[in-house]
Amino acid sequence: TLSLAPHLSSMQSGRFQTPDGKSLVAILAITPEEHERGLSGVKPNEWPVDHAMFFASLEDNYRTFWMPDTYFDLDIFFLDKDFKI
């Protein structure tokens, strides 16, 4: 059975639609603690395929990501202030 990882279920989320009409749920990583933890420790059965994680920041800055103990493949997209890749 698939259920969201416990630390993720308490985070804010929003539903988004892709340009081709598919819907996905974005878990919002807003606080420094949420940024640091991210998807670390989340098992595949705790992360639905229609979910994404959005790392929000008000600063336009150089970013790096390290997700230790992540048990599935990740695709990372960096968006500018205009939400362009």
Side-chain angles (χ1 to χ4, degrees), residues 27-32 34-36 53-65 77-83:
I27 304 295
L28 307 176
I30 299 170
T31 68
E34 291 169 343
H35 279 217
E36 186 175 333
M53 180 167 271
F54 184 84
F55 292 83
S57 177
L58 296 176
E59 298 174 6
D60 211 4
N61 205 345
Y62 181 78
R63 302 275 180 236
T64 60
F65 283 84
F77 300 90
F78 295 90
L79 306 176
D80 68 12
K81 63 182 172 149
D82 298 318
F83 293 98

Side-chain angles (χ1 to χ4, degrees), residues 2-55:
L2 189 70
S3 63
L4 199 58
H7 81 277
L8 300 174
S9 60
S10 63
M11 294 170 68
Q12 294 183 48
S13 66
R15 186 165 288 279
F16 295 88
Q17 190 169 12
T18 64
D20 63 356
K22 293 179 184 173
S23 181
L24 61 95
V25 174
I27 304 295
L28 307 176
I30 299 170
T31 68
E33 294 80 17
E34 291 169 343
H35 279 217
E36 186 175 333
R37 178 131 187 217
L39 294 171
S40 295
V42 177
K43 304 283 192 208
N45 66 335
E46 298 174 317
W47 189 249
V49 296
D50 67 343
H51 277 51
M53 180 167 271
F54 184 84
F55 292 83

